[in-house]
């Protein structure tokens, strides 16, 4: 049975909300690549007639769009997404500082948060040299692979081993080729520095330096990074970027009320 059939094994749908849950499942299916009615039915496990009615309503309300490529996400979701993004003070506060950082380093700059156990990119300023990176606003990555993900985890030593194991699935690039002990040693070093690095862990040929952003409670609420292709990121430059990225992250943190003890 699909994610929102009669029952979801991981979540009890509150009484009276099953239709809403099914509609959300349809949106999620289209977001994951279902482009026609058959694919949506297969993804959700809903009946064809129910799916058809939900799709019609979602298209009418702008949550989905029906075109030559089949179903895609609609303009209402874009509108709501921008409102949600700007309802979070972090990207608004961070943007001018990220622009200054981008102009200084000429490389790709990211802003990200942890959401649902993964990295969620909130902003991206492309660099002016090297290859374009696959990251984009709204894109998700495993926490243990992305540089910003490691920065988000600097205070979470109790989670490192479990996250490494969950992200080291068979057939995938492990977060650290030398195993969980090496990953933990790297994370301990990053925690001492207050900055993390991606040494082509996430994407071949891409390296980055990342630092956490904290709020008034001293909690890590986000992370920023500078990323570039490996020819522009030799070890010496990465070490030199650590204080640069940390200063930018510190300015964002200060704007969120963080005061270093």
């Amino acid at each position: 049975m699909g994610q929102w059939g009669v029952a979801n094994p991981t979540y009890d749908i509150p009484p009276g909300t099953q239709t809403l849950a099914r509609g959300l499942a349809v949106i999620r299916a289209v977001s994951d690549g279902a482009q026609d009615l058959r694919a949506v039915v297969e993804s959700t496990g809903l009946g064809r007639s129910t799916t058809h009615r939900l799709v019609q309503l979602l298209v009418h309300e702008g949550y989905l769009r029906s075109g030559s490529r089949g179903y895609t996400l609609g303009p209402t979701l874009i509108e709501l997404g921008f409102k949600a993004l700007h309802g979070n003070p972090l990207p608004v506060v961070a943007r001018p500082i990220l622009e200054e950082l981008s102009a200084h380093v000429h490389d790709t700059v990211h802003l990200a948060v942890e959401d649902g156990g993964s990295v969620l990119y909130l902003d991206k300023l492309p660099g002016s040299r090297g290859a374009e990176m696959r990251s984009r606003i709204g894109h998700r990555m495993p926490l243990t692979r992305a540089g910003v993900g490691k920065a988000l985890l600097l205070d979470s030593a109790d989670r490192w081993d479990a996250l490494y194991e969950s992200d080291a699935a068979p057939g995938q690039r492990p977060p650290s080729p030398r195993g969980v002990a090496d990953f933990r040693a790297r994370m301990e070093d990053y925690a001492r520095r207050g900055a993390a690095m991606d040494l082509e862990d996430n994407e071949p040929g891409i390296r980055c330096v990342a630092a956490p952003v904290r709020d008034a409670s001293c909690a890590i609420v986000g992370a920023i990074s500078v990323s570039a292709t490996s020819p522009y990121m030799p070890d010496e430059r990465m070490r030199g970027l650590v204080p640069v990225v940390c200063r930018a992250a510190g300015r964002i943190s200060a704007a969120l009320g963080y005061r270093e003890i």
Side-chain angles (χ1 to χ4, degrees):
M1 183 173 294
Q3 184 181 11
W4 292 109
V6 175
N8 183 331
T10 61
Y11 178 70
D12 292 330
I13 303 170
T17 63
Q18 190 174 62
T19 299
L20 173 60
R22 288 172 172 175
L24 294 173
V26 170
I27 293 173
R28 175 63 65 183
V30 173
S31 173
D32 290 341
Q35 294 182 322
D36 56 33
L37 191 64
R38 179 178 178 180
V40 176
V41 168
E42 291 177 353
S43 177
T44 61
L46 300 172
R48 185 179 180 86
S49 60
T50 298
T51 304
H52 181 65
R53 289 195 300 270
L54 289 170
V55 166
Q56 284 185 311
L57 174 62
L58 292 167
V59 169
H60 180 267
E61 295 295 327
Y63 289 89
L64 297 180
R65 182 186 284 119
S66 180
S68 58
R69 294 188 299 139
Y71 300 131
T72 56
L73 298 181
T76 298
L77 288 173
I78 297 173
E79 176 188 355
L80 294 176
F82 274 105
K83 287 181 178 179
L85 182 63
H86 290 286
N88 181 341
L90 177 57
V92 177
V93 167
R95 183 70 190 202
I97 298 170
L98 297 180
E99 289 175 349
E100 289 183 27
L101 180 61
S102 175
H104 176 65
V105 300
H106 307 294
D107 298 312
T108 299
V109 172
H110 292 111
L111 170 69
V113 295
E114 179 179 355
D115 182 73
S118 63
V119 169
L120 175 64
Y121 289 100
L122 296 186
D123 206 351
K124 175 184 179 180
L125 284 71
S128 58
R129 57 188 180 180
E132 175 64 17
M133 295 169 199
R134 62 182 179 180
S135 58
R136 63 183 185 277
I137 296 173
H139 192 54
R140 293 179 182 272
M141 287 285 183
L143 284 162
T144 59
R145 290 198 183 92
V148 282
K150 296 183 182 74
L152 288 165
L153 292 172
L154 291 186
D155 290 352
S156 304
D158 58 323
R159 302 172 61 200
W160 294 345
D161 291 3
L163 285 169
Y164 177 93
E165 296 297 343
S166 66
D167 290 341
Q172 297 184 16
R173 274 175 78 90
S176 177
R178 297 180 181 177
V180 65
D182 178 69
F183 176 76
R184 171 167 280 278
R186 285 177 59 187
M187 290 298 297
E188 289 172 349
D189 180 50
Y190 297 155
R192 286 191 294 268
R193 297 188 198 193
M197 294 184 180
D198 175 355
L199 304 174
E200 304 184 46
D201 307 312
N202 186 43
E203 191 173 350
I206 302 296
R207 292 178 146 204
C208 88
V209 176
V213 173
R214 300 178 184 272
D215 66 6
S217 72
C218 298
I220 295 176
V221 295
I224 65 171
S225 68
V226 171
S227 304
T229 52
S230 53
Y232 297 102
M233 278 290 196
D235 292 345
E236 183 179 358
R237 182 168 186 248
M238 293 186 78
R239 289 191 294 270
L241 279 174
V242 168
V244 175
V245 178
C246 285
R247 278 195 298 270
R251 291 174 61 196
I252 300 170
S253 299
L256 294 174
Y258 171 70
R259 295 294 179 266
E260 190 169 357
I261 299 173

